[in-house]
Amino acid sequence: YAEFFYGSDTTLVPGEVVSLDAATKEIVRTIVPNDSNILGVISTAPSFIGNNFTGAERLVSDVRSDYHLIALIGQVPVNVNTQGGPIRVGDFLTSASVPGVAMRATQPGLILGQALESFEGPGEGIVNLFIHRGWNLNGDFLSLTGESLLVDTGLIVNSRVDARGISGLIDL
């Protein structure tokens, strides 16, 4: 699943990690590790496009080069490096300091999803990523819906997330 987002940078290519620029409200190539505005990955060939114009004979991107298909859910190839250490299947990925590249998430923060392939380097490579944005809490995962958190200890925390933070009840 992908959607079109505006971004004036016409050099963005499939596999690059992008974030939302809060000032311009457009997508940009990520440039900092653990970007708190990380949005998705430039898509290669989405099977479903959520916001193409109804009745359009062509894709928006065929008409306007400043609109990019961003993968938001599902599997997509993503550019990676080992800045956060070797990537193993199941590792959470976030943005690296290299523009448009993902790395293994090693600290709490927003993540893109989980690696479906391993990468040990050297340099940069490409792995298949299952996109499901959420929060990495040192190895535990909190979905952006805020509904539940599966903790490594086996406890399930039913929670709600709002602007004040996480509140919830622990089920034993």
Side-chain angles (χ1 to χ4, degrees):
Y1 177 83
E3 290 191 4
F4 283 104
F5 284 83
Y6 173 76
S8 59
D9 183 350
T10 59
T11 66
L12 294 171
V13 296
E16 288 190 302
V17 180
V18 294
S19 62
L20 184 64
D21 184 313
T24 64
K25 306 222 181 345
E26 66 181 83
I27 59 153
V28 294
R29 191 177 283 114
T30 56
I31 58 172
V32 296
N34 305 297
D35 191 330
S36 62
N37 290 321
I38 198 167
L39 184 63
V41 176
I42 301 290
S43 186
T44 52
S47 60
F48 183 81
I49 300 171
N51 64 345
N52 202 35
F53 300 119
T54 303
E57 294 177 11
R58 298 185 287 176
L59 294 175
V60 174
S61 57
D62 291 340
V63 179
R64 299 212 29 198
S65 62
D66 54 357
Y67 276 82
H68 308 276
L69 275 170
I70 307 303
L72 301 173
I73 301 172
Q75 298 179 48
V76 64
V78 64
N79 300 334
V80 295
N81 68 20
T82 55
Q83 181 179 345
I87 295 170
R88 305 279 184 250
V89 172
D91 281 347
F92 297 134
L93 301 184
T94 189
S95 60
S97 63
V98 176
V101 174
M103 67 174 183
R104 183 171 63 96
T106 58
Q107 60 186 10
L110 196 58
I111 59 148
L112 278 172
Q114 289 176 280
L116 297 175
E117 299 174 288
S118 297
F119 179 75
E120 296 187 18
E124 294 179 14
I126 297 173
V127 300
N128 208 19
L129 169 73
F130 176 62
I131 292 185
H132 60 93
R133 291 177 58 234
W135 291 95
N136 175 27
L137 303 172
N138 282 336
D140 301 322
F141 176 77
L142 176 64
S143 74
L144 289 181
T145 63
E147 292 301 321
S148 64
L149 167 66
L150 178 60
V151 183
D152 282 345
T153 60
L155 298 176
I156 301 293
V157 178
N158 293 323
S159 61
R160 278 268 190 251
V161 177
D162 59 25
R164 294 172 301 228
I166 301 172
S167 62
L169 169 69
I170 298 178
D171 295 336
L172 301 174

